[in-house]
Amino acid sequence: MSRKTILHMLTPLKQMSPFDVNMALDAGYDSVIPYTGVTLADVGNLVQDAIFSRPPDAGVATGIFLAGKDVTVALDMLDAAKKAMVPPFEVSVFADPAGSFTTAAAMVAKVEKALAKHDGRTLSGTKVTIFGATGVVGYCTAVICAKEGADVTVAGHDGLTRASDVAQSINGRFGVTVRPEDGSTDEKKTALLQRAEVVLSAARAGVQVISAAQIRQASNLIVAADVNAVPPAGIEGLAVNANAEPLDATSAVGIGPLSIGNVKYKTQAGLFKQMIAADKPVIYDFRDAFTLARSIAK
């Protein structure tokens, strides 16, 4: 007898994102149940209620989705969920706070493809500067790039304090080296751009971070990418549908938010589908998202 597939969606926020609910149902889950205001201390009990309410062979048909808007909280919840398992009572878990894991994975996968195609290189040793790195997408992007061997700089739009906190968190948690820099003025941003080979904008929607004049001064630039689909663009002159196409008045190529979003959508949907189709419970985080995004990006 086939069992109903059930996804329990946990968020520390007062609302679960309709985006994630729709994605899970469209991917094929029979039932999706949101839980709001969930704290880290709640996760273990919720997971154990899920695992012990069904026989072990139904664990693969039961999933936990971790949402919210904080990367470190989501990763802590993921660890708590894993610790709550009591084999053979286990369920699948997928963390994607604010869609940041799948969005970051999609952006880095697209950049990686563009680097290989237009410059014959990988991320390893490439100088990557991330604007908006104190946000959830920027944080994850920095982690993925650093793990691929890139020379990563996270730029703080409001000075060094928050950028330093992000770098310290990333370096301590993931054993990589990410460098914070002050990007609070146009002069400082221009200086950062002049050293960068890849520029990634993951700032708040509707905020222009980099002007066309500044991007023209980025003489070493190979690829620029922006996840902001709300006007104005995070990088002025970068079209929303750009797909590794020449960036005006530069020798670089640009990747726009719609191109990234297409891969992000397929990555999140794909991971949900993999959870449903799996033969045994699985655990997914940004690393799994990047693996799948790499296979999708063109």
Side-chain angles (χ1 to χ4, degrees):
M1 181 182 71
S2 63
R3 297 186 185 276
K4 296 286 189 182
T5 54
I6 302 172
L7 184 67
H8 303 279
M9 307 186 84
L10 281 52
T11 179
L13 306 178
K14 66 178 182 178
Q15 295 172 327
M16 177 60 66
S17 166
F19 186 102
D20 294 327
V21 173
N22 290 350
M23 289 287 287
L25 286 168
D26 285 344
Y29 272 99
D30 294 312
S31 297
V32 171
I33 304 95
Y35 302 75
T36 59
V38 177
T39 68
L40 179 59
D42 296 327
V43 172
N45 288 335
L46 289 170
V47 169
Q48 291 192 344
D49 277 354
I51 65 175
F52 290 133
S53 60
R54 308 182 90 181
D57 65 349
V60 72
T62 311
I64 304 286
F65 180 78
L66 302 172
K69 287 191 174 181
D70 189 302
V71 173
T72 57
V73 169
L75 290 172
D76 288 343
M77 285 185 165
L78 186 64
D79 289 340
K82 289 189 286 188
K83 289 176 183 175
M85 305 293 180
V86 184
F89 292 91
E90 298 176 287
V91 296
S92 294
V93 187
F94 173 21
D96 194 17
S100 58
F101 288 3
T102 48
T103 301
M107 177 155 64
V108 179
K110 290 291 292 183
V111 167
E112 184 180 57
K113 294 286 185 183
L115 278 172
K117 180 178 180 181
H118 296 280
D119 205 61
R121 65 193 296 176
T122 66
L123 282 163
S124 182
T126 298
K127 294 179 174 63
V128 177
T129 298
I130 302 169
F131 292 87
T134 55
V136 286
V137 174
Y139 184 107
C140 295
T141 301
V143 174
I144 295 172
C145 287
K147 280 189 160 293
E148 290 302 306
D151 179 354
V152 179
T153 296
V154 292
H157 76 277
D158 53 0
L160 264 178
T161 302
R162 289 204 303 153
S164 295
D165 290 343
V166 164
Q168 184 176 5
S169 171
I170 291 171
N171 296 344
R173 185 159 201 147
F174 299 101
V176 296
T177 301
V178 168
R179 181 176 57 256
E181 291 285 355
D182 186 350
S184 60
T185 68
D186 286 339
E187 292 77 13
K188 289 174 179 176
K189 281 192 284 189
T190 298
L192 290 172
L193 288 166
Q194 288 172 343
R195 297 198 299 269
E197 294 169 314
V198 170
V199 170
L200 307 178
S201 176
R204 191 171 69 251
V207 175
Q208 182 182 295
V209 179
I210 301 167
S211 70
Q214 288 172 320
I215 210 75
R216 285 195 293 270
Q217 296 182 62
S219 56
N220 296 310
L221 188 63
I222 303 167
V223 181
D226 180 19
V227 295
N228 174 26
V230 179
I235 300 175
E236 187 179 16
L238 180 51
V240 292
N241 59 349
N243 188 18
E245 294 157 358
L247 194 56
D248 286 349
T250 75
S251 59
V253 295
I255 303 170
L258 296 188
S259 295
I260 295 167
N262 182 48
V263 176
K264 179 267 190 298
Y265 179 90
K266 292 177 180 177
T267 300
Q268 186 173 357
L271 290 175
F272 278 135
K273 289 175 182 177
Q274 286 182 15
M275 288 172 72
I276 294 169
D279 294 325
K280 60 182 180 179
V282 294
I283 306 290
Y284 291 146
D285 64 11
F286 65 88
R287 285 160 283 214
D288 306 283
F290 184 52
T291 297
L292 181 55
R294 269 177 152 171
S295 71
I296 295 169
K298 295 179 180 178

